């Protein structure tokens, strides 16, 4: 999962020419990580973005990384691990981008991803972020659990991951035909998981050196996995880069509950329904969630702990992070990106490369118009965008709330409207259930949101201080309030909440500096592919959710690693793989 509850599964692992790499998973985005300790709150109650300060560090580096989201930090930290002089420039007063956390009155909130898996996995099949942390020698303490609450038109139930428990829910809420179709689906796709996970994401780079670091290194295991599947399985593996709906259709699955449930899982994973998600993504998720002994993980101390681990890794290898350093533009000279200009006019030189962790649209706006190739600009302008988010952050007393409250809750109001319809699906996280230090004693923190389905057009041009804006916030947040009341009843009372924050697409646009508050590119499998990482300007690279493999924690971690690998020699890259043991 990534949209919705921002998880960390793996992604399709195949060697292709750099520009042909395909899409992957998603994770929710919000306001830049911040704290109100000594800072002013904005009109909507969230900590205001801190003003830029004068950059005082050494005004040059081998590589400059613009933005300290997960992708930017993974890229910067790995480059530091490769003994490169790296400078990560972050506009806000704390790092993390969409994965930041923020604090108000001793309540510590996640702003985005909150449902994770695979942090403790190791080896070639580990998820990309786990591999990066392993390369940096960093660990992440996590609480484990195996279920979330589901509220759907048919009823409500505790959905457990694992090979057998979900069959009981299907029997109760959908009937024997759904049970048969689910078993048929698992029997067909689980054998394909070996091929879907055969190539470690940390082995990929953006040049022909990939033939050594990925192709030659892992070809035997890939060929072995195809041989074990037999002719029929190998033929099925050819569909790994096709939409998952093609596998569903080929199996003749028609039960409405199964089709709806698969669409929901697809949407939570990649922000698109089964007709737009890569089969490899879904097959990996199924193999992770429906195998014996599987579990979900939540980082102790919140999602900000992930960011802190990456920053520790960056600094351990002498990488630099400069906060409140807003990049105004990328400087291009003789067709090469040679550095950046900060707000206030200061120039910082990049001797080898500039890496943008901004979205494709925001990166375009950082470049001088006269150096942008027209086809590049037109491709970006034609790329469809995902919608934005509504968010609800609450701090409240735990008295009266049931003791067995789980961390995650999913509410679907109407299957007929589709899981991608606005105001239809609400995701809720109560992380203080597993990490009590996120709230004062006897309290809870909660984050609810509509996952990438809120139209920006409803908010465009509104004055955030106007009554019209405040009225629209109250109207569009009501669906989240009702979902929270359904999940936490009967002990929850909205009027008794100590902290009430409502975020809108304009909050996204302002705090994350995201074009139109978008969640990222809306690129469907089979109809398009996420761009590679090299821009048509020499020494300019991109990582993050506008590049392969796509949107989400594991995807952006992989993209950052790919760029870092591409900027060093094949021998350095191979030595790192040896050191990590993959």
């Amino acid at each position: 999962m990534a949209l919705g509850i921002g998880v960390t599964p793996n992604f399709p692992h195949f060697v292709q020419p750099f520009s042909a790499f395909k899409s992957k998973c998603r994770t929710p985005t919000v306001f830049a990580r911040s704290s109100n300790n000594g800072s002013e709150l904005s009109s909507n109650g969230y900590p205001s973005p801190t003003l830029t300060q004068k950059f005082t560090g050494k005004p040059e580096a081998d590589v400059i990384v613009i933005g300290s989201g997960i992708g930017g930090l993974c890229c910067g930290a790995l480059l530091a691990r490769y003994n490169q002089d790296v400078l990560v420039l972050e506009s806000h007063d704390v790092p993390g981008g969409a994965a930041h956390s923020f604090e108000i009155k001793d309540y510590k909130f996640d702003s985005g991803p909150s449902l994770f898996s695979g942090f403790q996995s190791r080896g070639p099949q580990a998820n990309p972020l786990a591999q990066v942390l392993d390369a940096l020698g960093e660990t992440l303490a996590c609480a484990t659990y195996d279920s979330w609450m589901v509220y759907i038109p048919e009823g409500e139930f505790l959905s457990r991951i694992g090979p057998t428990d979900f069959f009981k829910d299907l029997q109760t809420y959908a009937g024997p035909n759904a049970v048969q179709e689910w078993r048929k689906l698992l029997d067909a796709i689980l054998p394909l998981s070996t091929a879907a996970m055969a190539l470690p994401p940390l082995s990929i780079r953006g040049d022909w050196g990939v033939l050594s670091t990925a192709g030659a290194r892992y070809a035997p295991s890939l060929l072995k996995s195809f041989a074990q599947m037999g002719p029929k399985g190998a033929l099925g593996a050819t569909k790994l880069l096709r939409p998952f709906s093609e596998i569903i259709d080929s199996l003749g699955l028609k039960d409405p509950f199964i089709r709806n449930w698969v669409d929901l899982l697809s949407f939570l994973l990649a922000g698109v329904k089964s007709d737009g998600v890569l089969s490899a993504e879904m097959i990996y998720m199924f193999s992770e969630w429906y195998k014996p002994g599987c579990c979900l993980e939540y980082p102790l101390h919140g999602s900000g702990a992930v960011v802190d681990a990456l920053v520790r890794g960056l600094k351990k290898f002498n990488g630099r992070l400069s906060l409140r350093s807003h990049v105004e533009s990328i400087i291009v000279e003789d067709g090469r990106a040679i550095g950046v200009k900060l707000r206030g006019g200061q120039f910082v030189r990049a001797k080898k490369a500039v890496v943008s962790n901004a979205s494709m649209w925001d990166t375009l706006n950082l470049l001088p118009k006269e150096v942008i190739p027209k086809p590049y600009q037109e491709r970006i302008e034609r790329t469809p965008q995902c919608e934005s988010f509504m968010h609800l952050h609450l701090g409240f007393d735990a008295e009266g709330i049931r003791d067995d409250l789980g961390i995650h809750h999913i509410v679907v109001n109407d299957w007929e409207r589709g899981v991608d319809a606005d105001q239809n699906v609400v995701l809720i996280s109560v992380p203080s259930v597993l990490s009590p230090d996120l709230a004062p004693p006897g309290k809870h923190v909660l984050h609810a949101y509509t996952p990438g389905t809120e139209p920006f057009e409803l908010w465009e041009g509104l004055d955030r201080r106007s009554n019209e804006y405040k009225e629209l916030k109250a109207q569009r947040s009501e669906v989240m309030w009702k979902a929270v009341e359904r999940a936490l009843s009967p002990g929850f009372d909205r009027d008794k909440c100590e902290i009430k924050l409502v975020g809108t697409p304009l909050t996204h646009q302002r705090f994350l500096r995201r074009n139109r508050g978008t969640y990222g590119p809306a690129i469907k499998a089979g109809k398009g592919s996420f761009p590679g990482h090299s821009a048509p300007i020499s020494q300019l690279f991109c990582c993050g959710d506008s590049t392969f493999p796509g949107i989400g924690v594991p995807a952006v971690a992989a993209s950052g690693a790919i760029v870092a690998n591409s900027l060093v020699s094949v021998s350095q890259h191979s030595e790192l793989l040896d050191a990590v043991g993959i």
Side-chain angles (χ1 to χ4, degrees), residues 162-330:
T164 59
D165 287 300
F166 188 57
F167 285 108
K168 302 172 185 176
D169 299 325
L170 286 175
Q171 184 67 45
T172 301
Y173 294 99
N177 185 62
V179 172
Q180 293 174 4
E181 289 200 357
W182 186 254
R183 192 180 305 278
K184 184 178 182 180
L185 177 61
L186 293 184
D187 289 344
I189 65 175
L190 291 184
L192 300 176
S193 62
T194 304
M197 300 186 295
L199 193 63
L202 202 60
S203 70
I204 301 174
R205 55 188 291 123
D207 56 28
W208 291 112
V210 72
L211 297 177
S212 172
T213 61
R217 193 180 187 100
Y218 301 102
S221 61
L222 187 60
L223 292 172
K224 182 180 178 181
S225 67
F226 278 108
Q228 290 174 339
M229 288 187 292
K232 185 176 180 181
L235 181 61
T238 62
K239 298 180 180 179
L240 289 174
L241 296 181
R242 298 294 302 166
F244 191 61
S245 60
E246 293 184 5
I247 291 180
I248 300 293
D249 293 337
S250 69
L251 294 172
L253 305 186
K254 300 183 182 302
D255 185 90
F257 187 95
I258 295 297
R259 303 285 305 213
N260 285 330
W261 185 256
V262 170
D263 270 346
L264 177 63
L265 293 180
S266 301
F267 189 69
L268 295 174
L269 173 66
V272 291
K273 295 192 292 187
S274 61
D275 63 352
V277 66
L278 282 172
S279 294
E281 297 183 51
M282 290 294 287
I283 289 169
Y284 180 84
M285 184 196 70
F286 271 82
S287 69
E288 282 290 286
W289 287 13
Y290 297 103
K291 67 182 181 183
C294 57
C295 68
L296 300 170
E297 297 165 315
Y298 181 77
L300 295 179
H301 317 305
S303 63
V306 179
V307 176
D308 293 339
L310 290 171
V311 172
R312 287 196 305 270
L314 172 73
K315 294 183 176 180
K316 178 191 301 183
F317 294 100
N318 300 315
R320 292 178 285 156
L321 170 65
S322 181
L323 303 173
R324 303 178 185 176
S325 299
H326 179 75
V327 173
E328 198 75 41
S329 61
I330 298 170

Side-chain angles (χ1 to χ4, degrees), residues 299-376:
L300 295 179
H301 317 305
S303 63
V306 179
V307 176
D308 293 339
L310 290 171
V311 172
R312 287 196 305 270
L314 172 73
K315 294 183 176 180
K316 178 191 301 183
F317 294 100
N318 300 315
R320 292 178 285 156
L321 170 65
S322 181
L323 303 173
R324 303 178 185 176
S325 299
H326 179 75
V327 173
E328 198 75 41
S329 61
I330 298 170
I331 304 301
V332 178
E333 188 176 277
D334 297 327
R336 297 181 300 114
I338 62 166
V340 299
K341 185 178 77 172
L342 303 181
R343 180 174 290 168
Q346 187 171 6
F347 171 68
V348 184
R349 179 175 297 279
K351 293 186 285 185
K352 293 184 178 180
V354 174
V355 180
S356 176
N357 188 207
S359 77
M360 62 171 68
W361 301 280
D362 296 292
T363 299
L364 190 67
N365 290 333
L366 292 175
L367 289 166
K369 294 187 183 302
E370 63 273 13
V371 306
I372 302 172
K374 189 174 181 180
Y376 178 67

Side-chain angles (χ1 to χ4, degrees), residues 474-538:
Q475 173 192 334
R476 300 295 289 184
S477 63
E478 186 62 23
V479 67
M480 297 183 292
W481 279 109
K482 289 181 178 177
V484 169
E485 289 168 342
R486 182 176 180 184
L488 272 61
S489 64
F492 177 78
D493 184 345
R494 70 168 77 179
D495 294 329
K496 294 182 180 180
C497 290
E498 298 174 15
I499 303 292
K500 304 177 185 178
L501 305 174
V502 176
T504 73
L506 296 187
T507 317
H508 267 262
Q509 184 182 48
R510 180 186 181 210
F511 281 76
L512 281 191
R513 308 189 189 282
R514 298 283 291 188
N515 182 271
R516 296 175 63 80
T518 182
Y519 188 41
I523 298 173
K524 288 187 175 183
K527 296 184 178 179
S529 60
F530 276 82
H533 307 85
S534 56
I537 294 169
S538 179

Side-chain angles (χ1 to χ4, degrees), residues 342-559:
L342 303 181
R343 180 174 290 168
Q346 187 171 6
F347 171 68
V348 184
R349 179 175 297 279
K351 293 186 285 185
K352 293 184 178 180
V354 174
V355 180
S356 176
N357 188 207
S359 77
M360 62 171 68
W361 301 280
D362 296 292
T363 299
L364 190 67
N365 290 333
L366 292 175
L367 289 166
K369 294 187 183 302
E370 63 273 13
V371 306
I372 302 172
K374 189 174 181 180
Y376 178 67
Q377 178 175 342
E378 290 177 344
R379 177 180 61 77
I380 290 175
E381 291 173 347
R382 287 196 307 267
T383 301
Q385 292 183 341
C386 293
E387 299 289 5
S388 191
F389 290 78
M390 290 294 299
H391 290 267
L392 183 65
H393 286 92
L394 304 176
F396 56 93
D397 200 304
E399 184 178 0
I401 303 298
R402 64 182 186 272
D403 293 335
D404 63 348
L405 181 69
I407 179 175
H408 286 119
H409 307 257
I410 302 174
V411 179
V412 181
N413 293 313
D414 185 354
W415 288 125
E416 294 298 321
R417 292 192 63 215
V419 294
D420 53 353
D422 68 308
Q423 301 270 291
N424 194 31
V425 175
V426 178
L427 305 172
I428 301 168
S429 173
V430 193
S432 49
V433 166
L434 297 179
S435 189
D437 64 305
L438 296 176
K443 311 287 185 180
H444 275 312
V445 292
L446 179 148
H447 176 206
Y449 49 97
T450 57
T453 58
E454 182 67 9
F456 183 80
E457 289 75 14
L458 294 176
W459 303 86
E460 191 167 14
L462 290 182
D463 184 339
R464 293 180 293 102
R465 295 162 295 186
S466 68
N467 288 332
E468 182 182 5
Y469 178 71
K470 295 174 184 177
E471 291 170 0
L472 189 60
K473 278 210 312 184
Q475 173 192 334
R476 300 295 289 184
S477 63
E478 186 62 23
V479 67
M480 297 183 292
W481 279 109
K482 289 181 178 177
V484 169
E485 289 168 342
R486 182 176 180 184
L488 272 61
S489 64
F492 177 78
D493 184 345
R494 70 168 77 179
D495 294 329
K496 294 182 180 180
C497 290
E498 298 174 15
I499 303 292
K500 304 177 185 178
L501 305 174
V502 176
T504 73
L506 296 187
T507 317
H508 267 262
Q509 184 182 48
R510 180 186 181 210
F511 281 76
L512 281 191
R513 308 189 189 282
R514 298 283 291 188
N515 182 271
R516 296 175 63 80
T518 182
Y519 188 41
I523 298 173
K524 288 187 175 183
K527 296 184 178 179
S529 60
F530 276 82
H533 307 85
S534 56
I537 294 169
S538 179
Q539 298 184 185
L540 176 61
F541 296 83
C542 299
C543 69
D545 58 16
S546 285
T547 64
F548 168 80
I551 300 174
V553 171
V556 298
S559 75

